[in-house]
Amino acid sequence: MAEGERQPPPDSSEETPPATQNFIIPKKEIHTVPDMGKWKRSQAYADYIGFILTLNEGVKGKKLTFEYRVSEEAENLVATVVPPQLAAAVPEVAVYLKESVGNSTRIDYGTGHEAAFAAFLCCLCKIGVLRVDDQMAIVFKVFNRYLEVMRKLQKTYRMEPAGSQGVWGLDDFQFLPFIWGSSQLIDHPYLEPRHFVDEKAVNENHKDYMFLECILFITEMKTGPFAEHSNQLWNISAVPSWSKVNQGLIRMYKAECLEKFPVIQHFKFGSLLPIHPVTSG
């Protein structure tokens, strides 16, 4: 794992914005390829990837059925998303949720929309609705439910993959559940990467592991040999350990999603995920 991936991510999940913070409607800031430099130096990028890596550590070695504690504030999310005292944040945070379910005009969905939902969860952490103690609940309960909804939409509306790379991409629609799903399987007593192309192993274990649930969905949606319709994943099955798979997927996510202009040009920036350069210290 690269040095930057070993360092603990910034603990922004514990921060609550000051009462005087001016929330703003997020907007696009990445208009040309050279603007990508602003994104990679931004506080938004640092906070976003820190959030992804925090959750990655939080679910390491845990099953989807693992017992976890949800903070009381998160219960308010079910009814109102954001508690009344943070009502000023609602318009800003809601933008990311709206962006997370695909494009209603093109009827497509991809990793940019998935990133918007992760950004939505990150914002909820930054305003204190969710807490760092909720890591497993965020992934196993909230994000996993989001995956279930998106899979239903993909099936019902036959959504097109947004910017799909075909069989050379990791998956037509998702990326994050492969990162967090591989973290779940690190140091598993008997399941190795080679087993996720084994139909019996997937059928017996998919309810406990996000990665295997993704594989099951792919095999339900596609026909033909796995090596042909999901070549990139087939290649990953040859990696010797889940730890190496996880490290490689984090690097791939940064390179193929977070550093790609066609994806990030649609990302929006506000007061919680700002475009200004990351502050040191």
Side-chain angles (χ1 to χ4, degrees):
M1 185 181 288
E3 182 180 351
E5 291 154 14
R6 287 185 181 277
Q7 297 172 347
D11 200 6
S12 61
S13 302
E14 293 284 27
E15 297 177 4
T16 301
T20 55
Q21 175 164 339
N22 293 320
F23 295 102
I24 60 176
I25 302 297
K27 63 179 182 177
K28 294 180 181 180
E29 298 280 1
I30 308 304
H31 306 292
T32 64
V33 173
D35 286 341
M36 290 294 289
K38 289 196 298 184
W39 156 246
K40 287 188 278 187
R41 293 188 297 270
S42 72
Q43 189 68 50
Y45 181 92
D47 288 347
Y48 179 83
I49 196 65
F51 179 70
I52 298 302
L53 295 178
T54 295
L55 297 183
N56 188 60
E57 287 298 311
V59 301
K60 188 173 290 183
K62 306 295 193 304
K63 292 183 178 181
L64 284 169
T65 51
F66 188 89
E67 292 295 324
Y68 44 78
R69 180 171 60 86
V70 182
S71 67
E72 292 180 6
E73 287 86 354
E75 293 180 11
N76 296 327
L77 180 61
V78 176
T80 61
V81 180
V82 171
Q85 64 269 29
L86 290 170
V90 171
E92 177 169 345
V93 175
V95 166
Y96 297 103
L97 183 60
K98 293 173 185 175
E99 297 275 326
S100 70
V101 292
N103 186 282
S104 59
T105 302
R106 297 190 300 271
I107 318 297
D108 67 359
Y109 174 87
T111 52
H113 301 106
E114 177 190 69
F117 190 76
F120 167 69
L121 296 176
C122 183
C123 287
L124 290 179
C125 286
K126 296 198 75 172
I127 63 175
V129 173
L130 296 172
R131 297 183 181 276
V132 70
D133 291 343
D134 296 327
Q135 290 170 10
M136 283 179 285
I138 290 169
V139 176
F140 295 162
K141 200 73 174 178
V142 184
F143 190 83
N144 199 53
R145 179 59 179 151
Y146 166 71
L147 286 179
E148 291 172 359
V149 171
M150 291 317 305
R151 285 169 181 153
K152 186 172 183 178
L153 290 176
Q154 289 157 21
K155 285 182 176 179
T156 303
Y157 296 103
R158 300 184 180 274
M159 299 176 81
E160 291 291 327
S164 174
Q165 301 177 55
V167 296
W168 305 110
L170 188 64
D171 174 65
D172 282 345
F173 300 107
Q174 314 293 159
F175 201 116
L176 291 176
F178 290 97
I179 294 178
W180 296 330
S182 60
S183 183
Q184 275 187 279
L185 287 159
I186 289 174
D187 296 328
H188 193 281
Y190 59 86
L191 286 175
E192 300 173 8
R194 62 187 175 88
H195 289 123
F196 78 73
V197 292
D198 181 311
E199 183 178 354
K200 182 173 182 291
V202 171
N203 288 336
E204 291 177 352
N205 297 280
H206 71 92
K207 291 182 179 179
D208 285 329
Y209 297 104
M210 189 173 278
F211 194 106
L212 302 184
E213 192 72 37
C214 288
I215 298 299
L216 181 65
F217 183 70
I218 289 172
T219 57
E220 289 175 350
M221 297 293 285
K222 296 187 176 183
T223 58
F226 192 91
E228 292 183 10
H229 63 62
S230 300
N231 186 263
Q232 184 75 268
L233 281 168
W234 174 264
N235 292 336
I236 289 173
S237 70
V239 176
S241 72
W242 286 111
S243 179
K244 289 188 178 298
V245 169
N246 185 245
Q247 294 164 22
L249 289 176
I250 290 170
R251 288 193 295 270
M252 185 178 176
Y253 184 63
K254 290 178 178 178
E256 298 300 323
C257 295
L258 299 188
E259 296 180 10
K260 286 290 189 274
F261 175 72
V263 175
I264 299 305
Q265 65 175 325
H266 301 296
F267 197 90
K268 294 183 177 179
F269 302 84
S271 70
L272 295 170
L273 292 173
I275 189 63
H276 67 64
V278 63
T279 52
S280 59

